[in-house]
Amino acid sequence: MLTVNARSTASAGAPFEATTIERRDLGPHDVLIDIAYAGICHSDIHTARGEWGETLFPLTPGHEIAGTVSAVGPEVTKFAVGDRAGVGCMVDSCRECEHCRAGEEQYCLQGNIGTYNAIGKDGRPTEGGYAEKIVVDENYTLRIPEGISLDVAAPLLCAGITLYSPLRHWNAGPGTQVAIVGLGGLGHVGVKLATAMGAEVTVLSQSLKKQEDGLRLGAEHYAATSDPDTFASLAGSFDLIISTISATVDMGAYLGLLKLDGALVNVGAPEEPLSVPAFALIGGRRSLAGSMIGGIAETQEMLDFCAEHGVGAEVEVISGDQIDEAYERVVASDVRYRFVIDTSTLAG
Ligand code: NAP
Ligand code: ZN
Ligand code: ZN
């Protein structure tokens, strides 16, 4: 076992505290990663506050992990000491079901093993990236290409793949009209990715406060959902809408913005059910869908795409003592656009 500095919370909503956690000894296929940065995803907050049901406390969240390999197990072939490496939302899966075999490990029929708040194959709770080091199987470790610095790469491991996968699945590209709802951590990367894929992008945000940023990130249009005219003037405009809203909202208004056969893909994960008026779906043969992160191979493809197209997150780097404050700002939609923890600050 390796003891490392980390930050954890003891119960739902309790402040983060400096602590130490144990990482397992390296198995044959494990890599040890010295974590440089860990992004703060809104899912960390839902989990830490107990909004998704029972959380395993004490909790060390973090599934947007970027760092450098510092040791490898004897049978590791994919990584060497010194390689830049990342870890996203899952650290294992059954590897045998049809989804795992198809490279869709996130939809493993046994349930993928989350990077934190899950039970690992060793029977111990998994603990995430708000820590100095992590041990992960090489098959669930990503390669971070040269050319993306580790701080802006970290959020790609969750926010990046969560937007990349549906944009690809629903064929965003030249000639398609894509709307991204919510300009937060996921949304801002979505704007960059959809733009890099060649789609014409519109941001739908609660207000026009972040309009300048949205246009700088690549969007051609920006509209405020607090303005009642927005839903009338944009009715029937989009092939694809991706909602990243972290709160419960009525999907009906957004469905009305789709073209015939358009799809509204929800990636937000609020605790309460979303409401969907039937007529908003049936009039226009519209689809309402969901999407969860992406598989390991697709996550690597996304990182390579980001390196090629110069896509990274816009980050605000914080210390371990600023996690509680960062959570408050994320919940208040006051993040521009991802908080990333510098893990050299974690020692108590
Ligand atoms: P975030 O940074 O807080 O962004 C969410 C954005 O949603 C906010 O910035 C805000 O954008 C908008 N929003 C918040 N409350 C709203 C409301 N009441 N009405 C309308 N818009 C509202 O969060 P995130 O890290 O991007 O995560 C977003 C959601 O996706 C969370 O629920 C998270 O758990 C989930 N998630 C899902 C997956 C997946 O695999 N499906 C992966 C990661 C995260 P504006 O200020 O621009 O309006
Ligand atoms: Zn996440
Ligand atoms: Zn499986």
Side-chain angles (χ1 to χ4, degrees), residues 136-207:
V136 183
D137 187 292
E138 61 173 330
N139 295 300
Y140 292 79
T141 303
L142 287 306
R143 186 171 294 283
I144 297 179
E146 295 298 331
I148 317 183
S149 58
L150 293 177
D151 53 349
V152 308
L156 299 176
L157 275 301
C158 174
I161 186 58
T162 299
L163 272 292
Y164 182 89
S165 186
L167 286 167
R168 281 287 190 230
H169 188 81
W170 277 274
N171 301 312
T176 58
Q177 298 286 336
V178 173
I180 303 289
V181 189
L183 196 66
L186 267 53
H188 92 286
V189 182
V191 171
K192 288 190 176 190
L193 288 169
T195 301
M197 289 174 189
E200 186 170 332
V201 180
T202 299
V203 174
L204 299 175
S205 179
Q206 292 167 95
S207 72

Side-chain angles (χ1 to χ4, degrees), residues 246-329:
S246 51
T248 301
V249 293
D250 179 7
M251 294 278 111
Y254 295 98
L255 285 165
L257 303 183
L258 291 171
K259 293 183 189 174
L260 180 65
D261 287 329
L264 168 57
V265 181
N266 174 66
V267 297
E271 58 183 316
E272 299 297 336
L274 302 168
S275 70
V276 187
F279 281 90
L281 267 181
I282 63 181
R285 202 163 49 198
R286 300 174 179 120
S287 300
L288 173 60
S291 183
M292 191 173 73
I293 52 172
I296 295 296
E298 191 178 35
T299 304
Q300 189 62 59
E301 178 189 305
M302 176 275 305
L303 288 168
D304 296 343
F305 177 92
C306 287
E308 191 184 326
H309 294 270
V311 173
E314 309 252 314
V315 301
E316 188 172 330
V317 176
I318 61 166
S319 73
D321 292 338
Q322 295 173 289
I323 296 171
D324 297 311
E325 184 188 328
Y327 274 29
E328 291 301 327
R329 284 186 51 195

Side-chain angles (χ1 to χ4, degrees), residues 40-44 63-64 89 116 158-159 162 186 293 338:
I40 293 180
C41 176
H42 206 121
S43 300
D44 301 352
H63 58 208
E64 295 187 333
C89 299
Y116 60 80
C158 174
T162 299
L186 267 53
I293 52 172
R338 200 57 140 184

